[in-house]
Amino acid sequence: MDRIKVKIINKSHHPLPAYSTFEAAGMDVRAFLPEGAVTLKPGQRALIPTGLYIQLPQGYECQIRPRSGLALNYGLSIANTPGTVDADYRGEIGIILINLGQDDYVVNDGERICQMVIKQYSHVEWDEVKELDHTKREGGAFGHTGTV
């Protein structure tokens, strides 16, 4: 397991994002709502501040993902999942929560609202061609392997 150093500023009064277990891939991130709770009605979305600012090393991104318990139990998700924070972004990390459930959901200050995963990425160099290599599947639709 690789470890990298990431600079972080925490303007909230909550703990830094943290792994719940040793082998967890995602760190829990908390809502920073000093003005009070935010209520999301069914179908409503809101940008929830975290008070966190990060400086990622070049070649890394921060992915923002839903928490499975909130998704299963309340229908709470991330509208642009997975959200991406680029290495050159220096603003506050905001989480676009959406209520896909049937009831109002109240987001409280300090509540764990998402997971943060730091991932390495590659840039692509396109090789424009007239034809692609053939496979057994070819153009088989989603969920179709092209075999019987």
Side-chain angles (χ1 to χ4, degrees):
M1 176 181 334
D2 293 336
R3 295 201 181 272
I4 61 166
K5 291 240 183 213
V6 176
K7 293 180 180 181
I8 188 167
I9 296 172
N10 183 2
K11 293 187 178 180
S12 81
H13 50 272
H14 304 300
L16 291 176
Y19 300 102
S20 293
T21 64
F22 177 74
E23 293 185 342
M27 296 173 272
D28 291 332
V29 176
R30 298 175 184 273
F32 178 49
L33 299 168
E35 306 295 317
V38 171
T39 300
L40 292 173
K41 298 194 173 303
Q44 187 178 15
R45 61 191 175 275
L47 182 62
I48 306 296
T50 64
L52 301 174
Y53 302 73
I54 61 175
Q55 180 178 325
L56 294 167
Q58 186 177 19
Y60 285 83
E61 67 163 326
C62 168
Q63 295 180 358
I64 302 298
R65 302 178 183 179
R67 293 191 68 231
S68 57
L70 292 177
L72 176 64
N73 297 323
Y74 305 102
L76 198 68
S77 191
I78 309 297
N80 61 326
T81 189
T84 296
V85 179
D86 293 310
D88 58 353
Y89 179 70
R90 296 294 185 269
E92 180 178 12
I93 295 175
I95 309 303
I96 306 170
L97 287 183
I98 186 167
N99 182 355
L100 301 173
Q102 299 174 341
D103 301 312
D104 289 359
Y105 186 86
V106 178
V107 182
N108 293 297
D109 182 49
E111 180 177 353
R112 295 176 301 155
I113 56 170
C114 67
Q115 293 187 70
M116 172 187 287
V117 176
I118 307 299
K119 296 290 294 175
Q120 197 168 15
Y121 64 85
S122 300
H123 274 183
V124 170
E125 288 185 23
W126 293 111
D127 181 12
E128 194 169 5
V129 297
K130 299 284 184 205
E131 189 175 299
L132 301 176
D133 295 344
H134 294 282
T135 67
K136 286 184 180 182
R137 182 174 182 182
E138 290 296 329
F142 294 107
H144 175 72
T145 60
T147 61
V148 190

